[in-house]
Amino acid sequence: MKTILYPFEDDRGSILPVVLMFLLILAITGTTATVVTTTDLRIGSNLKTSNQAVYVAEAGLEEARGRMKVGAVRPISDGHPAQTQWRVFIGTAAKTTGKGYDNGNAMHTLTASSQAIPVSLDYSVGISHQTDAAGNILYYGDTDNDGIYERNTTTGENIYLVSSTGYSSDSQRTIEAEISRTPPITVPGALYVAAWTTIQGNVNINGNDSCGGGGGDDKPGIASSQPAGTIWVLGNPTIDGDGASDPNITYDEPELHIEDMLEGLAASADFSYSLAAAGVQNDTTVPGPGDGWGVPTLGATLQDPSSCAVNNIISYDTHGYGLTFSGIEGCGILLVDGDLEVHASFNWYGVVAVTGSIIFTGGGNRNITGAIVSGGSVLGDIIGGNVNLVYCSTAIADQTENRPYEHLSWKENT
């Protein structure tokens, strides 16, 4: 009879080491897996708390930005805009001391967080004036009158450096941001034009500051980036301003980058309209009027400034159709990407800024208190009615003074 040999039958003792080795491998693998899993959990937990600390720091930054705004519930005010040592700290004395808070320094102010109970995010914030490498205070403004804001050491709104540290469990993260109030829109004259222009009919343009604190900010009646002779004054319009010339017109002014100006302001508009999206064209009913733009209170005469307590930024993208208004009133900065034609009555408090041309036609009374900025030509009342443009620095400054502070830069400190 044939004998069948099975594996290991002749060497039964050799299977035991193999089995033991196999069990050892399983044990090691299991232990390693347990170690890797625990490490992963720790890494994930650390990442979570680290990210939470960033979000908390961002909340601190936003509290600072919100409380710097004019009209905030618990405002943070800058009583020393020209002092490099001025500081405001949000948080506790224990944590803000690490940010430089000195309770013995009269230029330092400590304020508790304005978080509403039961919110209890843990952050500390320091606010200071941003300076250049030489220690000069930096401002955000238009130094060359081209309509574009830049960092500088002479004019504009203060730039504030906000450092916010957020805490979450054992993690802490710090972010820094530069913030600034949006400066008033650049206005070289009661009327600024960048093309050949005709002024005729019953038109009154006054560049003397009628409501801005004693006439210290008087402007030319008309300021043009074009050379002399490119503005025709027909009939008997009245054009007055800060100079002795009659009519009061200045030429060869710096050219405004109106499209860039409008793009920046339109990004934070309170009301935005697109004529192409609405399917409307020139000489048709347009969206917007009646949406709550405010109603100017007219002065005693049409030549006097109006007033308004409402501030807006209103933006129109005409997509080449052009925009026609008839019987419109409002308050704010009216931005029109394209041409604007004004029929009948028109009362506005603030700034009318267009990339194209402006035409005033038809009967009715028109009062603009503030300024007009046009990238094209302006035809002043070529048919009838009255056009009264009264420069007012307050009407211009009002539109950006109460807006949220802009982020100029943002970075995380590592």
Side-chain angles (χ1 to χ4, degrees), residues 4-129:
I4 299 176
L5 297 176
Y6 292 94
F8 308 114
E9 188 173 336
D10 288 343
D11 194 7
R12 292 179 177 85
S14 64
I15 192 171
L16 182 58
V18 174
V19 172
L20 292 175
M21 184 176 294
F22 181 70
L23 292 174
L24 179 61
I25 292 173
L26 289 177
I28 293 174
T29 303
T31 302
T32 303
T34 301
V35 172
V36 171
T37 302
T38 302
T39 302
D40 287 342
L41 289 174
R42 288 176 179 172
I43 291 173
S45 178
N46 290 339
L47 179 61
K48 179 181 178 181
T49 58
S50 180
N51 288 338
Q52 287 175 339
V54 172
Y55 300 145
V56 171
E58 288 179 343
L61 168 61
E62 288 307 304
E63 176 177 341
R65 194 168 74 99
R67 292 176 64 179
M68 293 290 289
K69 179 178 177 291
V70 174
V73 175
R74 294 185 59 191
I76 292 175
S77 59
D78 182 359
H80 305 278
Q83 296 293 328
T84 58
Q85 296 303 310
W86 174 85
R87 301 282 192 279
V88 170
F89 299 87
I90 301 174
T92 65
K95 287 188 174 179
T96 55
T97 298
K99 285 188 169 294
Y101 171 60
D102 179 1
N103 63 1
N105 190 329
M107 300 295 290
H108 288 195
T109 300
L110 176 64
T111 178
S113 173
S114 62
Q115 297 177 68
I117 298 173
V119 175
S120 58
L121 298 178
D122 190 6
Y123 51 72
S124 58
V125 182
I127 307 170
S128 60
H129 294 137

Side-chain angles (χ1 to χ4, degrees), residues 271-281 285-288 291 314-323 335 337:
F271 302 93
S272 297
Y273 307 99
S274 175
L275 299 196
V280 299
Q281 296 185 20
T285 301
V286 297
D291 283 355
I314 301 158
S315 175
Y316 276 90
D317 188 348
T318 72
H319 293 275
Y321 288 135
L323 176 64
L335 309 173
D337 187 4

Side-chain angles (χ1 to χ4, degrees), residues 107-267:
M107 300 295 290
H108 288 195
T109 300
L110 176 64
T111 178
S113 173
S114 62
Q115 297 177 68
I117 298 173
V119 175
S120 58
L121 298 178
D122 190 6
Y123 51 72
S124 58
V125 182
I127 307 170
S128 60
H129 294 137
Q130 181 64 294
T131 59
D132 63 10
N136 300 305
I137 290 179
L138 288 175
Y139 302 94
Y140 187 49
D142 185 6
T143 55
D144 50 8
N145 295 316
D146 64 352
I148 305 299
Y149 308 131
E150 56 271 332
R151 291 173 175 81
N152 67 88
T153 59
T154 58
T155 186
E157 302 288 342
N158 279 92
I159 298 175
Y160 297 94
L161 179 64
V162 181
S163 175
S164 178
T165 301
Y167 309 91
S168 177
S169 297
D170 294 331
S171 297
Q172 71 176 58
R173 302 283 285 276
T174 299
I175 57 176
E176 284 187 350
E178 291 177 309
I179 64 173
S180 178
R181 180 186 296 158
T182 301
I185 188 170
T186 300
V187 174
L191 169 64
Y192 167 84
V193 292
W196 294 56
T197 296
T198 299
I199 306 295
Q200 66 183 42
N202 191 15
V203 177
N204 173 61
I205 300 175
N206 191 345
N208 295 312
D209 195 356
S210 60
C211 51
D217 191 36
D218 293 344
K219 301 286 186 182
I222 300 177
S224 173
S225 59
Q226 298 297 308
T230 56
I231 296 178
W232 295 285
V233 179
L234 307 178
N236 297 299
T238 300
I239 304 173
D240 196 5
D242 68 345
S245 63
D246 185 17
N248 188 234
I249 302 173
T250 62
Y251 295 94
D252 297 312
E253 295 284 342
E255 183 174 357
L256 291 181
H257 297 282
I258 297 180
E259 290 189 357
D260 292 332
M261 291 168 57
L262 266 63
E263 181 179 357
L265 290 167

